[in-house]
Amino acid sequence: MNSIYFDHAATTAMHPDVLNVYVEAVRSGPGNPSSLHAHGRAARERISQARDSLASLLHCEASELIFTGSGTESDNSALFGAALAQKKRGRNGIVTTAIEHHAVLHACRQLESQGFSLTVLPVDEFGRVSLEDAKLAINDTTAIVSIMAGNNETGTLQPFAEIGELARKHKALMHVDAVQAFGYLPFNLKELPIDFLSLSAHKINGPQGVGLLYVRKGTPFQPILHGGSQERNRRAGTENVAGIVAFAKAAMIACGQLQSRWDHAEDIRITVLERLSELFGPEQFVINGHLEDRLPHILNISFTGISAESMLMNLDLAGVSASGGSACNSGSLKPSHVLSAMKFSSERVSSAVRFSFGLGNTREEADKLAKITATISARLRIN
Ligand SMILES: Cc1ncc(COP(=O)(O)O)c(C=O)c1O
């Protein structure tokens, strides 16, 4: 059975060139970047080159980049790191949105339980936060504002740069979770009003277990991991050398192909939608998320009257990997907090399936997906 992988928002396969770089780095022998001998120096040099490459892609200084173990760690480090440092300056407020990844939302809730005052901004039916709401929420007591660039369940883009300007006006810090948007949108940190940016390698055809946190020079920041003096005392722990080198390679490939990556994902998305429209009646499915201001690789659809569990199980049996809600939720099949925040009926929320596209996907697969979905749908509607 040929399988179709339409779950690139959950994780991606390593790009062949990235895999080569990764294997070469592993094979090059042991080397703890903190060791003073030749092996250690070689490992340190590899990390240094990777950091330089990423800094040039992001238009920032290499010293502003901290390698972490995941996007989740980057998000947590930004929020705890900034909030705790800001508290010492008398700032106690945290502003975020209802559609953030749990790596942000749960970290914010944790900070709330430690005495911070949390404001969770609502979103409209397209999953977008309003500037007006942000304006009302951000003030001179705000420690940090955390808004994602593009949502991992719907793909909807957020006005993060405009909200960053609002944060600046009040001297609040701005964090952007760009885990899904990086590789599709350019991020020029010289120009963007952003103090913290979270990235994750495994969403851009890099390895799992490596993240990046940008911390603007001079930004108050308190590390969450304590131990060695790695990453200029901002993140203790021996670095994942091969992972970091491979991350830089994946980022160079992705950022060098932003437009063609976008066009490819968009082409698959449009093909799926066109074929579904040919095979389904208009009332049989509905798209969740913004139709224009969105990332190209995520397509969230509710198949009316069919539970996501049934659809996903049948898709899996037919060789198609997709997701319900976010990847972290897919095991537990909890109703999506993102779609719930968009105030959809429980029926629409519980029938939502996320398809996400990327490297290696073809129009033929898009075609096949629509046919398989139509067959499953017809079968489930009869039963
Ligand atoms: C928007 C967003 N933020 C953070 C994360 C967490 O990244 P990681 O899987 O590297 O921990 C994800 C992963 O799905 C994500 O989509």
Side-chain angles (χ1 to χ4, degrees):
M1 180 176 68
N2 283 337
S3 67
I4 299 178
Y5 187 74
F6 278 160
D7 204 11
H8 292 257
T11 197
T12 59
M14 266 204 249
H15 187 289
D17 296 349
V18 174
L19 187 58
N20 284 339
V21 162
Y22 183 84
V23 170
E24 196 272 324
V26 173
R27 283 219 177 106
S28 68
N32 185 326
S34 298
S35 300
L36 296 179
H37 50 60
H39 286 85
R41 289 198 303 276
R44 198 152 60 245
E45 179 54 26
R46 284 174 181 276
I47 292 185
S48 171
Q49 280 175 12
R51 200 188 309 274
D52 286 345
S53 303
L54 283 157
S56 85
L57 295 174
L58 293 166
H59 304 272
C60 67
E61 290 180 24
S63 60
E64 294 176 308
L65 298 178
I66 302 175
F67 288 110
T68 66
S70 61
T72 299
E73 188 191 323
S74 299
D75 285 342
N76 272 261
S77 301
L79 286 158
F80 280 89
L84 298 178
Q86 287 280 71
K87 195 169 195 171
K88 291 180 185 156
R89 302 165 165 222
R91 287 178 175 258
N92 193 43
I94 298 172
V95 177
T96 191
T97 80
I99 48 85
E100 298 302 309
H101 190 273
H102 281 145
V104 166
L105 273 179
H106 289 177
C108 287
R109 290 280 175 218
Q110 188 61 30
L111 283 162
E112 186 183 32
S113 76
Q114 294 176 17
F116 284 89
S117 162
L118 176 64
T119 305
V120 180
L121 300 175
V123 292
D124 62 17
E125 72 268 33
F126 304 109
R128 210 146 57 144
V129 70
S130 91
L131 282 180
E132 281 314 306
D133 285 338
K135 208 178 268 177
L136 289 173
I138 301 169
N139 58 44
D140 290 346
T141 65
T142 306
I144 184 161
V145 180
S146 184
I147 312 280
M148 70 192 340
N151 184 262
N152 48 300
E153 293 192 38
T154 61
T156 298
L157 293 171
Q158 303 300 325
F160 63 90
E162 292 88 335
I163 294 176
E165 295 294 355
L166 292 175
R168 281 258 154 104
K169 278 196 188 122
H170 291 280
K171 297 195 168 63
L173 299 176
M174 179 71 189
H175 168 241
V176 174
D177 175 339
V179 166
Q180 291 293 341
F182 185 61
Y184 289 106
L185 295 180
F187 286 89
N188 183 338
L189 293 168
K190 204 173 269 171
E191 287 168 7
L192 285 166
I194 294 177
D195 303 297
F196 296 94
L197 186 85
S198 296
L199 304 179
S200 180
H202 74 108
K203 309 290 186 181
I204 57 156
N205 305 108
Q208 294 176 341
V210 198
L212 189 73
L213 177 64
Y214 159 79
V215 184
R216 186 177 291 281
K217 203 176 187 171
T219 303
F221 178 71
Q222 207 165 294
I224 60 167
L225 290 183
H226 302 276
S229 58
Q230 291 91 350
E231 300 296 298
R232 294 169 173 251
N233 289 310
R234 293 169 302 178
R235 197 270 187 182
T238 301
E239 300 89 339
N240 175 355
V241 181
I244 288 170
V245 169
F247 184 8
K249 180 71 179 175
M252 282 191 289
I253 294 171
C255 293
Q257 303 173 353
L258 283 185
Q259 191 61 50
S260 59
R261 276 169 58 83
W262 182 291
D263 292 345
H264 171 251
E266 179 75 1
D267 186 50
I268 305 290
R269 188 181 185 277
I270 288 173
T271 307
V272 170
L273 278 176
E274 281 176 357
R275 299 291 174 274
L276 285 179
S277 304
E278 286 161 16
L279 297 168
F280 283 76
E283 72 292 344
Q284 288 182 311
F285 76 94
V286 55
I287 302 170
N288 303 315
H290 205 286
L291 294 181
E292 275 123 39
D293 290 333
R294 54 169 175 76
L295 293 168
H297 67 299
I298 296 177
L299 176 59
N300 194 309
I301 294 180
S302 290
F303 293 96
T304 317
I306 298 175
S307 77
E309 283 96 326
S310 306
M311 181 56 92
L312 288 169
M313 209 166 59
N314 280 277
L315 282 171
D316 189 25
L317 288 171
V320 178
S321 295
S323 226
S326 69
C328 313
N329 284 352
S330 55
S332 58
L333 294 172
K334 279 197 221 143
S336 150
H337 68 284
V338 174
L339 301 183
S340 302
M342 290 157 79
K343 303 219 166 51
F344 292 156
S345 65
S346 58
E347 221 252 318
R348 184 163 170 182
V349 172
S350 63
S351 60
V353 174
R354 179 189 71 181
F355 302 104
S356 49
F357 316 112
L359 184 69
N361 285 148
T362 62
R363 276 190 188 174
E364 289 66 40
E365 288 178 329
D367 220 28
K368 220 165 149 187
L369 170 76
K371 286 184 187 135
I372 292 171
T373 316
T375 308
I376 295 171
S377 169
R379 197 168 60 226
L380 292 177
R381 281 182 212 281
I382 288 169
N383 292 332

